[in-house]
Amino acid sequence: QVQLVESGGGLVRPGGSLSLTCVVSGIDIGRYAMAWYRQTPGKQREPVATITSVGANTYIPDAMEGRVSISRDNAKNTLYLQMNGLKPEDAGVYYCNLRANQYYWGQGTQVTVSS
């Protein structure tokens, strides 16, 4: 059974930083692209950052460019997201996504940006 478990969310002040971690079990992530998504109430889940299977390429939306970095450690079956310069509009539930024969999702971790 494939499981994705996110951690690292929490409350941070505007301008602050957070590091999210996603530990995957039940599948070797080394063959698959992965991503982080964010969802806010009333909106569709949207990609925050994507990384190819061996980490050679990453894709960051313009709104997050320069403030977000995605990385992975295939040996640890783990995906990371480093977020800096957080803004209130960055708040939401962050989900880890594995793009294998189907899309797998974690349960999400809440990020709140508020003073």
Side-chain angles (χ1 to χ4, degrees):
Q1 182 180 359
V2 177
Q3 287 190 319
L4 288 69
V5 180
E6 302 98 335
S7 62
L11 172 64
V12 63
R13 295 182 184 276
S17 298
L18 275 179
S19 296
L20 305 184
T21 298
C22 172
V23 178
V24 182
S25 59
I27 192 170
D28 179 359
I29 71 170
R31 296 173 57 191
Y32 306 109
M34 296 190 70
W36 287 95
Y37 282 70
R38 178 181 65 233
Q39 188 164 26
T40 54
K43 294 187 178 180
Q44 285 191 330
R45 203 171 288 188
E46 58 183 357
V48 171
T50 305
I51 188 168
T52 53
S53 60
V54 295
N57 295 100
T58 62
Y59 304 93
I60 309 293
D62 289 344
M64 307 295 288
E65 187 66 50
R67 302 190 295 117
V68 164
S69 64
I70 184 171
S71 61
R72 62 194 294 163
D73 186 336
N74 289 344
K76 295 182 178 179
N77 245 29
T78 301
L79 179 72
Y80 305 97
L81 184 71
Q82 176 66 41
M83 300 187 288
N84 303 315
L86 282 163
K87 304 176 181 180
E89 55 263 39
D90 296 326
V93 180
Y94 282 69
Y95 294 91
C96 177
N97 167 244
L98 171 67
R99 301 175 176 182
N101 57 317
Q102 65 180 73
Y103 274 27
Y104 294 95
W105 299 93
Q107 82 288 349
T109 185
Q110 178 72 47
V111 171
T112 302
V113 184
S114 175
S115 55

